[in-house]
Every structure is written in structure tokens, then in C-alpha cells.
Amino acid sequence: MARPFITCLFFLLSFIFITPSNAASYNVVSYGAKSGGRIDSTSAFLKAWAAACRSTTAATMYVPKGSFLVKAAVFKGPCKKKIMIRIDGTIVAPDYRSMGNSGYWILFIKVDRVSIFGGTLDAKGSAYWACRRSGKSCPVGARSITFNWASDIVVSGLTSINSQLSHLVINSCKNVAVRNVKIIAPDQSPNTDGIHVQGSTGVTITGSTIGTGDDCISIGPGTRNLWMEHVKCGPGHGISIGSLGKDKNEDGVQNVTVANSVFVGSDNGVRIKTWARASNSFVTNVVFRNLIMTRVQYPIIVDQNYCPNNQGCPNQSSGVKVSQVTYKNIKGTSRSQAAMVFNCSSSNPCRGIRLQDINLTYMNKAATSTCNYVKGTRSGVVVPKSCV
């Protein structure tokens, strides 16, 4: 994806979200929200949203300083005008048992021209993780903030703490800018992906710090034109395309860039993961460049043999086609001797893999690379010695 596209997008979004001085303002406290984090303020938040949504001028929904308890809530569109949600306080989740099995905590559906600035979401996920570890019957869990079928969205300066599951989900959206967010969960917290993108186009993620128990950023089927830059990842499972190919008829992923980012102590750096089963999905036109790896278990990895518990993969071969993937100027240290792993599909070998200026070491000595069913080229200095 060309950088000028991103620059134009940021200018466009900045223009869209300039809120005029005569914008209507709706303070959740005015609708009955109580600070302190103990009294249910869900109704007040929904009433403030409804007022902002039907406003005939640009509107601001305001969450002042303090701690506000909000249960599972759906903020529906479409709305008449653009809406800015300014959060100076903290929104806290209730006990996980009262969240039900909807799968969400804060959900935006069919909204456009909505921006969220600042604030903290505290999902208090530790009790839910403990329930899962205990083997007891637990609810399905909740993603902290989700956008479904939304467009022209900005999320800026938001902090998300201890989500039960994924922190921020962008599903079936267009033109979403995520910038300067901070996402925090313990490295052993299960399924707490930082940001999950799927079925969306024109998403940018910049200037963000993500440390979780799962992928820092996970990229699902149908993702196009995704740009990630100046991201700090770790702990976590890295930035992952996939897993893809679970279903036979599944959309692919294309035009993805990860640039100028750092990975510290993560299990993976940049990863492509696909199921070892028949699928017509694909991954193409991907660029990983200008990346620093520090004590990363597998800095570069393609795994096309994903099959949990060895079930549902009759031929142990992935139908997902991986092609035109560039790794450029990636440097740092690996926690495993195999710093580069290309474990591609026997029936659909990786093609067009390009390695340029790679320098990855293992405990101050030479690392290794592993290749299965991969075709490509290398240029510049490539360490460890490339098997591509």
C-alpha cells in the first residue's frame, strides 16, 4: 500500500472530525451517569448516545473524569451527523457473569463519522480468565469494543485494560484510523488479542503500544489495504495474518504493510498462519519492513500447518495461497535458533517471497532458517543464511 494513500486518508479523517464550536454536547452525567464505578450508568450512556445520534448538527458525547460502570451496550446508527466521543474518565465493566453470552461489551453498529478520543476501558478480565482456567462453565466472554459495518471511524488515545477477549475489533468496516492507543493485558491471559481486523478495508493502526496474551494485531479474512506503523508489540503473539483457511470458501487478505515497528519479548514477530485443510483463501501483496526484534521467539514465521489437536485436517495440506510477501530491513535477536521459518503448504507452495537486508542473531551467534515448499529471492545481506 502506498504511503501517499495513508497521508491523504489522515488529512481526510482530520477534516471529517474537526468539530465546530457550535456542536451540540451531551454529557453522560446530565443523563444520570454516576461516578464511582458501582452504580450502573448504562442507561445514561445510551440516552446520551441517542441524543447525539439524532442531533441535526455535529455532536459531542462527553464522559467526564471519574469511573463509570457500564454493562453490555449497543450504540446503533446510522446517525444524522458526525459524532465525537470524548472520554476523560474510565469506563469499567461489571462482573463477567452479568455480561451474558452476547460476545461484546461496547458495540457500535452501522455508524459512520464517529471518533473516540482519550479515556480508559477497564474490562476487569482477570476473574473471567480464572473461570476459564478452573474448567468451570463460563460465559463465552466479551470483546471490549467492537465496530461492525462502520465507516470513517477514528479511535485515538484510548487505553484498554484487561479485556476478557479481544480488546478492539474492526469488522466489516471502511476507513478506520486507530492511533496512539495503549492496550494492556498479562502475557498469560487467553485470547486477549489487542486489535483484530477482518472483512475491512482502509484501516490504519499507528503509534500504538500493545502487550497482551495473544496476538498484538490479528488479521482475519477479507482484510484489504491495512497499514500498521510505529507499533510496539510485546508481550504477545506478534502481528499475525490468520489463522486463515478454516473454511473452504473464505475471502483472502491483500495489501498489508507493517513498517517501522518494534517487537519486544513476543512469541512471534510477523507471522502468517493458515489451517492445513482445503480452502480457496489467499495472502498476497504483503510488506514487512524496517522492524526491530528484541528477544522474539520466532521473528519471521509462516506456518501453513495449523491444526489444533490434529482434528479436521484430512490431508494435512493448506489450500491458502501465500504469494508476494516482502521482508526488508528486519534486525534484532531471536530466542530460538530458528529465526526464520517458512513452513509452507505442500500443495500450494509459498511464491514470490522476497528477503532483503535481514540480520537476526541467536544468543550472540548465528541463527538458522528453515524452509519447506517456498520459492523466492534474496538480496543484500541476509542473516541467518537464507534457505529461500
Side-chain angles (χ1 to χ4, degrees), residues 2 88 92 105 134 149 167 169 196-197 241 246 304 351-352:
D88 286 338
V92 298
W105 175 23
S134 72
W149 307 292
H167 288 252
V169 176
H196 178 69
V197 182
I241 297 176
K246 184 176 182 180
Q304 291 205 261
R351 301 180 185 276

Side-chain angles (χ1 to χ4, degrees), residues 20-32:
S21 58
N22 62 346
S25 183
Y26 302 91
N27 188 324
V28 295
V29 172
S30 300
Y31 290 86

Side-chain angles (χ1 to χ4, degrees), residues 42 46 70-76 93-94 96 98-109 123 140-148 163-167 169:
T42 311
L46 291 173
V70 175
K71 296 181 178 180
V74 181
F75 299 88
K76 294 182 180 179
Y96 72 91
S98 67
M99 296 284 276
N101 286 304
S102 65
Y104 65 82
W105 175 23
I106 296 170
L107 173 62
F108 290 88
I109 297 179
V140 297
R143 298 172 288 276
S144 282
I145 181 168
T146 301
F147 292 89
N148 286 343
S163 180
Q164 292 179 19
L165 298 174
S166 299
H167 288 252
V169 176

Side-chain angles (χ1 to χ4, degrees), residues 45-65:
F45 274 66
L46 291 173
K47 288 177 182 178
W49 168 261
C53 190
R54 62 176 175 260
S55 173
T56 56
T57 61
T60 297
M61 177 177 165
Y62 180 54
V63 181
K65 292 181 179 179

Side-chain angles (χ1 to χ4, degrees), residues 8 12 22 125 156 248 251 271 275 298 307 310 350 352 373 377:
C8 291
L12 174 62
N22 62 346
S156 179
K248 181 174 178 59
D251 203 356
R271 174 171 64 166
W275 281 76
Y298 297 106
C307 189
N310 289 317
C350 299
Y373 307 107
T377 61

Side-chain angles (χ1 to χ4, degrees), residues 263 291-296 299 329-335 339 358-365 367 383-384:
F263 299 76
L291 307 179
I292 297 174
M293 308 284 174
T294 302
R295 303 185 310 280
V296 173
N329 192 30
I330 301 176
K331 301 176 181 179
T333 56
S334 173
R335 293 206 315 272
I358 310 294
N359 187 1
L360 296 168
T361 61
Y362 166 68
M363 297 181 66
N364 296 317
K365 58 185 179 183
V383 177

